[in-house]
Amino acid sequence: MNLREIGTATKGINPREVVVAVGPAFGKDVTKSIMKVDHALILREILSGIEEQGATARVIRSLRTADLAFMAHEAAKLSGSGIGVGVQSRGTTVIHQRDLDPLSNLELFPQSPLITLETYRAIGRNAAMYALGDTPNPVPVVNDQMARPKYQAIAAVLYIKECESRIANAKSVELEVAFSYE
Amino acid sequence: MQTVKRSKRYEILDKRPVNQDGFVVEWPEQGFIAMSSPADPKPSIKVENGRIVELDGKPREAFDMLDQFLADYTIDTTVAEQVMAMDSVEIARKLVDVNVPRQQVLDITKGMTPAKVVEVLNHMNVVELMMAMQKMRARKTPSNQCHVTNVRDNPVLMAADAVHAGLLGFDEQETTVGVVRYAPFNALALLVGSQTARGGILTQDALEEATELRLAMLGLTSYAETISIYGTESVFMDGDDTPWSKSFLASAYASRGAKMRFTSGSGSEVQMAGAEGKSMLYLEVRCVMMAKGAGVQGLQNGSISCIGVPAAVPSGLRAVAAENLATMMFDLEVASGNDQTFSHSPFRNTAKMLCQMLPGTDFIFSGYSAMPNGDDMFAGSTFDSSDLDDYLIIQRDLMVDGGLRPVDEETVIKGRYQAAKALQAVFEELDFPPITDEEVEAATYGNGSEDMPQRNVVEDLKAAERILRDEITGLDIAIILAKRGFRETAERIFNLLKQRVAGDYLHTSAIINKDNQVISAVNDVNDYRGPGSGYRLSKERWEEIKNIRQALKPTDFS
């Protein structure tokens, strides 16, 4: 996967678009999720989910913050449809809408070790449906009370790495995404 | 020595639950250290003209916003220099000494800086921390709080689980959501369920802060605790907050007569990559003192959702007990954690939990999972509904009040049925998607969400949104229940709303008993002074704890 930065992210006017914000380190300083899944595969599923519903996707990189809610809320505000998705390097994901409070959201997937590639696709699909004005059934949230004892310390290490890639006061940048197939 | 063959004993050890837990070595640069980091400041204070000009080695010009807040609102400058001159070991001994009254310790803590508090706590071993907790807890009578949630946010099941939890003795109940837009439904289900069990149970809906406040203002919830504060400036700013904005939010709750406490806990700054190399306990003590300075009545701490972080480092669980004690040292209510899972090992869970259960705290769990952990949308709790008998029997074995009471199956079934029927009536009157008799039946006898029939999620979400849009209040619910023949539950909800006007349960550590009387650190102040003093089980309470349903009676052998 090649993520090329093509300038400051701008506000879109296409009412059929979903903006996906990735974390400061995503696909760059960190390339795999907490479950060691390639970021390329994760992003490809989300984008495919959006496109298969007939919406368009735009990808931006958040530089100022690694906070999931704020990344995704910014994406929603830049999105022509008002719908955004946020993905951190460790894999935590949220679907957001511009007129919601930052810490409120449409759908949150807080336990990154439990999100499968199928779920990422479904998240993309639902985000597109919100953008097109539908009210989809929320993607089922998986719960495993043992994910915390197993992964929390690793999640902290990954977030520390994500934050090391932050640039204070920097605006989000638009990304051109190219997947390489072998 | 490099060996190829493996020891069978080590193979067995490797398979034990505890070895699925995550452990890390100390990494002080990023704050992976429990109680004393090389970067922790040394205690110091300088007061000039009643103003703190130096705090823990930092001159006023170098203060960050937390230093400034603590210097200006928490620390009592009239006693600070005198207190700071006291030997830390001596203060630690006063905390433990049964001959030193609680009030005398509170007078000392008024003048302490965060680094001084940490220095004192570092002198104490875990038994001493527990001895001090027994004396320093604000309210004399210990209590307990639970989670009531489910994976599908099913309101019928939630109401049934709430009544069950109420019957078990939980004085506070907390819910949250899988899908945010369900929030008003969850608040409603919890209100109806809890008040079916008894009057005076306080409920909350843990959400994004503005929505949480809105539900409290509607009278659908009666308290809040998900008001997060942090120990470093950078993490505060990451959350778009300051000590002042949180204080403002606290006063918004107080103005509407709703109980409120802040939430913090060790490890959160590490989790959010902002520990600045300080120990988890040092940062947490700053949070405790911020809560004090903001004038809120209490704090939920004990690491909470970041418990996996201190649990991964040496002395981490001792640090968690120490932060609970720190909260009590500042005369605040403490909901002492034990809620979120941190271990695969039942031994480790119990060992940790005993640190709060044995001395007693205001709320031993700030979320015992009243249902199966798989339905706990706070990502699970250390103990869940399948551990209830173990917990009740530990209370009985050790003659300790853990806040719960045994309850027989028939009472539970009856209660669950009543709560589900009451909610069914409310839904019908409000023209919400109907609750079928089949659902009432399933919620009455079921264990978890897998036992419930599917509901129409999209229609439910629309109805849930109507609660906020049409501003349906607790009073509306009471009126509906009275009209539909659920007079007792209706009156209990009405009485809870009256408490909002009276405001008595804004006192420190307030709970409300079944007779609608407030019990708090004001009228039930902890007066522990060693054997024979402080909280002791009453005869009635001991009878309650003793009589577990499993115990054989001589008559069983006739």
Side-chain angles (χ1 to χ4, degrees):
Chain A
M1 178 175 65
N2 185 19
L3 300 175
R4 197 165 69 89
E5 299 187 355
I6 51 168
T8 305
T10 51
K11 189 165 166 32
I13 46 159
N14 180 356
R16 302 176 68 85
E17 80 175 355
V18 174
V19 174
V20 179
V22 298
F26 190 96
K28 201 164 78 179
D29 303 319
V30 179
T31 58
K32 286 180 169 62
S33 75
I34 195 163
M35 297 308 285
K36 300 201 163 62
V37 177
D38 261 319
H39 283 166
L41 295 176
I42 290 174
L43 192 58
R44 197 172 69 186
E45 288 305 316
I46 296 174
L47 299 183
S48 306
I50 293 169
E51 280 156 17
E52 75 182 26
Q53 285 299 316
T56 23
R58 203 145 62 83
V59 182
I60 64 170
R61 181 189 299 287
S62 171
L63 292 173
R64 179 185 62 80
T65 178
D67 183 284
L68 184 66
F70 287 91
M71 278 166 48
H73 195 241
E74 195 203 0
K77 285 193 288 187
L78 292 176
S79 164
S81 70
I83 299 296
V85 173
V87 199
Q88 288 176 319
S89 292
R90 64 185 173 202
T92 322
T93 303
V94 68
I95 308 177
H96 225 307
Q97 188 176 322
R98 71 175 156 219
D99 50 6
L100 290 173
D101 296 319
L103 296 181
S104 203
N105 57 66
L106 288 172
E107 295 183 43
L108 173 65
F109 305 86
Q111 295 194 44
S112 54
L114 306 177
I115 314 177
T116 61
L117 285 174
E118 290 74 34
T119 306
Y120 284 114
R121 198 176 188 104
I123 291 167
R125 217 151 45 210
N126 266 21
M129 286 172 80
Y130 291 116
L132 301 175
D134 294 337
T135 31
N137 268 320
V139 178
V141 181
V142 184
N143 184 32
D144 175 6
Q145 68 276 10
M146 286 304 145
R148 185 188 313 273
K150 210 176 238 173
Y151 294 106
Q152 187 162 36
I154 308 167
V157 173
L158 278 171
Y159 189 64
I160 287 167
K161 289 201 165 185
E162 183 101 279
C163 286
E164 281 170 352
S165 306
R166 278 184 309 201
I167 304 169
N169 302 320
K171 291 196 166 126
S172 297
V173 289
E174 197 96 25
L175 295 181
E176 188 184 82
V177 184
F179 295 107
S180 49
Y181 298 93
E182 288 171 19
Chain B
M1 184 182 71
Q2 193 77 28
T3 52
V4 185
K5 221 175 146 184
R6 288 215 59 196
S7 148
K8 280 188 182 171
R9 193 156 297 168
Y10 275 84
E11 275 178 359
I12 287 167
L13 281 172
D14 280 350
K15 284 184 192 135
R16 296 285 289 176
V18 75
N19 283 320
Q20 289 191 56
D21 294 353
F23 299 100
V24 292
V25 297
E26 287 177 338
W27 181 18
E29 295 77 17
Q30 292 293 352
F32 275 95
I33 185 156
M35 285 180 74
S36 55
S37 171
D40 280 352
K42 299 279 168 288
S44 81
I45 199 147
K46 248 183 223 152
V47 181
E48 275 172 18
N49 304 320
R51 194 159 171 262
I52 293 174
V53 294
E54 184 195 301
L55 182 67
D56 292 338
K58 224 192 257 179
R60 194 164 181 109
E61 306 81 72
F63 281 5
D64 65 16
M65 66 184 179
L66 270 103
D67 295 319
Q68 191 196 331
F69 193 88
L70 303 185
D72 292 348
Y73 302 114
T74 308
I75 300 167
D76 183 346
T77 51
T78 61
V79 295
E81 285 175 310
Q82 186 194 333
V83 166
M84 292 295 286
M86 286 174 75
D87 180 32
S88 293
V89 178
E90 192 196 329
I91 299 175
R93 287 189 176 155
K94 283 182 191 294
L95 273 159
V96 174
D97 187 349
V98 296
N99 298 305
V100 176
R102 176 174 181 272
Q103 186 58 49
Q104 196 182 316
V105 181
L106 294 181
D107 290 341
I108 293 170
T109 52
K110 276 180 194 162
M112 290 168 81
T113 66
K116 185 74 170 177
V117 174
V118 173
E119 193 175 84
V120 168
L121 292 168
N122 263 308
H123 286 299
M124 302 171 78
N125 68 29
V126 74
V127 177
E128 288 154 358
L129 291 171
M130 285 158 75
M131 285 166 71
M133 276 192 209
Q134 178 159 249
K135 175 168 84 184
M136 296 310 299
R137 175 178 80 242
R139 189 197 328 109
K140 183 151 96 174
T141 312
S143 178
N144 220 330
Q145 191 225 56
C146 66
H147 293 156
V148 180
T149 66
N150 65 67
V151 160
R152 292 197 216 139
D153 297 310
N154 183 302
V156 203
L157 181 63
M158 201 166 289
D161 280 334
V163 72
H164 190 169
L167 293 168
L168 281 160
F170 289 105
D171 292 318
E172 283 191 355
Q173 302 188 0
E174 173 186 26
T175 191
T176 191
V177 286
V179 174
V180 169
R181 287 165 294 154
Y182 263 118
F185 254 26
N186 290 16
L188 173 64
L190 199 63
L191 179 72
V192 172
S194 62
Q195 303 308 302
T196 302
R198 75 158 175 90
I201 294 174
L202 303 178
T203 61
Q204 70 153 323
D205 198 347
L207 303 161
E208 174 278 318
E209 287 166 351
T211 319
E212 191 164 345
L213 179 60
R214 245 173 266 159
L215 288 168
M217 285 164 69
L218 288 172
L220 294 170
T221 56
S222 44
Y223 79 104
E225 72 178 351
T226 323
I227 320 290
S228 307
I229 52 167
Y230 303 100
T232 59
E233 187 174 272
S234 63
V235 178
F236 247 123
M237 285 163 73
D238 210 17
D240 234 11
D241 263 311
T242 69
W244 289 268
S245 66
K246 289 295 183 183
S247 307
F248 180 78
L249 182 58
S251 56
Y253 277 100
S255 74
R256 302 299 166 124
K259 178 179 172 176
M260 199 280 303
R261 54 179 169 257
F262 281 165
T263 289
S264 60
S266 58
S268 60
E269 296 83 6
V270 179
Q271 186 79 27
M272 293 175 77
E276 297 170 4
K278 307 293 194 298
S279 72
M280 295 177 203
L281 182 64
Y282 170 73
L283 296 181
E284 182 51 22
V285 167
R286 293 181 107 199
C287 293
V288 170
M289 292 181 67
M290 205 224 103
K292 185 67 182 173
V296 304
Q297 64 86 29
L299 185 68
Q300 169 189 227
N301 76 351
S303 191
I304 313 300
S305 59
C306 296
I307 185 71
V309 178
V313 298
S315 193
L317 298 182
R318 171 172 161 255
V320 169
E323 68 173 89
N324 290 153
L325 174 60
T327 309
M328 300 171 189
M329 284 165 65
F330 286 91
D331 201 17
L332 299 170
E333 171 185 70
V334 64
S336 54
N338 285 313
D339 46 348
Q340 310 238 272
T341 43
F342 71 94
S343 179
H344 294 75
S345 155
F347 288 168
R348 250 189 124 204
N349 270 343
T350 308
K352 190 228 163 282
M353 182 277 288
L354 288 177
C355 295
Q356 288 78 26
M357 186 204 202
L358 297 185
T361 74
D362 291 309
F363 299 99
I364 296 160
F365 285 72
S366 51
Y368 187 113
S369 182
M371 59 287 143
N373 254 337
D375 265 327
D376 191 325
M377 297 313 289
F378 291 97
S381 181
T382 49
F383 278 49
D384 78 351
S385 53
S386 64
D387 299 310
L388 276 164
D389 283 341
D390 296 75
Y391 191 79
L392 291 166
I393 291 167
I394 293 171
Q395 287 190 142
R396 184 181 189 261
D397 289 338
L398 304 178
M399 201 181 175
V400 160
D401 193 340
L404 301 194
R405 78 171 72 90
V407 53
D408 64 81
E409 193 174 344
E410 205 185 316
T411 310
V412 167
I413 288 172
K414 213 175 118 200
R416 295 182 71 101
Y417 177 77
Q418 277 174 347
K421 286 301 273 187
L423 195 69
Q424 187 185 42
V426 171
F427 269 45
E428 203 175 294
E429 291 289 326
L430 290 171
D431 203 20
F432 285 173
I435 293 171
T436 62
D437 287 341
E438 186 200 357
E439 287 176 279
V440 171
E441 174 92 1
T444 303
Y445 294 99
N447 180 49
S449 53
E450 72 285 357
D451 300 314
M452 296 301 296
Q454 293 276 8
R455 287 183 61 83
N456 185 328
V457 176
V458 174
E459 287 307 309
D460 269 353
L461 287 174
K462 282 185 197 158
E465 278 159 14
R466 246 189 63 202
I467 294 180
L468 286 178
R469 203 188 56 223
D470 300 349
E471 301 194 329
I472 296 169
T473 66
L475 184 62
D476 295 325
I477 305 304
I479 292 169
I480 288 172
L481 286 169
K483 181 183 156 200
R484 293 292 299 259
F486 297 91
R487 277 208 71 91
E488 204 174 36
T489 308
E491 246 169 67
R492 288 165 176 174
I493 293 176
F494 185 67
N495 280 334
L496 205 53
L497 293 169
K498 281 206 304 204
Q499 288 284 1
R500 293 284 289 275
V501 182
D504 281 351
Y505 83 117
L506 301 189
H507 288 310
T508 303
S509 306
I511 49 175
I512 305 177
N513 72 10
K514 64 176 173 33
D515 304 316
N516 209 31
Q517 281 167 345
V518 171
I519 302 167
S520 73
V522 172
N523 62 358
D524 185 35
V525 62
N526 190 2
D527 56 359
Y528 180 78
R529 294 287 299 275
S533 69
Y535 180 78
R536 300 279 145 175
L537 287 174
S538 68
K539 202 167 167 294
E540 299 73 41
R541 181 72 179 118
W542 177 228
E543 285 302 319
E544 214 171 52
I545 287 173
K546 268 200 301 194
N547 291 321
I548 54 167
R549 61 190 168 83
Q550 304 91 328
L552 297 171
K553 300 170 194 72
T555 47
D556 293 337
F557 298 97
S558 60

